[in-house]
Amino acid sequence: MPTGDLSVTILERAPMGAVVITVAGEIDASNAAWLREIIKLATTQIIATVEIDLVDVTLLSRSGLEVLIEARDTMDGRFAVIAASSTVRRVLGFMELLGGFGLGHESQS
């Protein structure tokens, strides 16, 4: 159970075989491990992809960034960031990771 200001909603898109995880609030050291477990649980299902919506994330710490990188690197192309807040985009841009998450340089939030 997280101790930081974080909420997560999980929606399964059956026809497309995807799980969409919507995250809002702050992703930091107090809740990154919890988010990692949610993503891992989603990958245990027989699904095509796990999509994560970060449009309502107000803080992305190093711990949260590590969770995203780990998911991207271990899911063989089955993990996608489908939307990101300006805060998340700033962090990913600073780390030169926007393209690595398929976000490019266009603004989504």
Side-chain angles (χ1 to χ4, degrees), residues 34-55:
W34 184 68
L35 181 59
R36 178 180 285 114
E37 288 306 311
I38 289 172
I39 293 170
K40 282 182 181 178
L41 284 172
T43 64
T44 63
Q45 306 299 316
I46 302 172
I47 55 170
T49 60
V50 172
E51 299 174 343
I52 191 160
D53 179 341
L54 304 172
V55 78

Side-chain angles (χ1 to χ4, degrees), residues 3-105:
T3 58
D5 181 25
L6 183 72
S7 70
V8 175
T9 304
I10 301 171
L11 171 70
E12 186 173 352
R13 287 197 233 174
M16 295 168 39
V19 170
V20 179
I21 301 171
T22 303
V23 182
E26 300 176 355
I27 305 172
D28 59 22
S30 71
N31 55 35
W34 184 68
L35 181 59
R36 178 180 285 114
E37 288 306 311
I38 289 172
I39 293 170
K40 282 182 181 178
L41 284 172
T43 64
T44 63
Q45 306 299 316
I46 302 172
I47 55 170
T49 60
V50 172
E51 299 174 343
I52 191 160
D53 179 341
L54 304 172
V55 78
D56 291 322
V57 170
T58 57
L59 180 133
L60 179 64
S61 74
R62 184 181 120 205
S63 299
L65 181 60
E66 289 171 353
V67 169
L68 298 178
I69 291 169
E70 179 184 321
R72 179 198 66 187
D73 292 349
T74 60
M75 292 186 59
D76 300 323
R78 296 183 311 119
F79 178 80
V81 176
I82 57 172
S85 66
S86 59
T87 299
V88 171
R89 287 177 162 279
R90 254 190 317 277
V91 172
L92 293 178
F94 180 75
M95 300 303 293
E96 299 182 357
L97 291 170
L98 279 171
F101 285 97
L103 294 172
H105 296 288

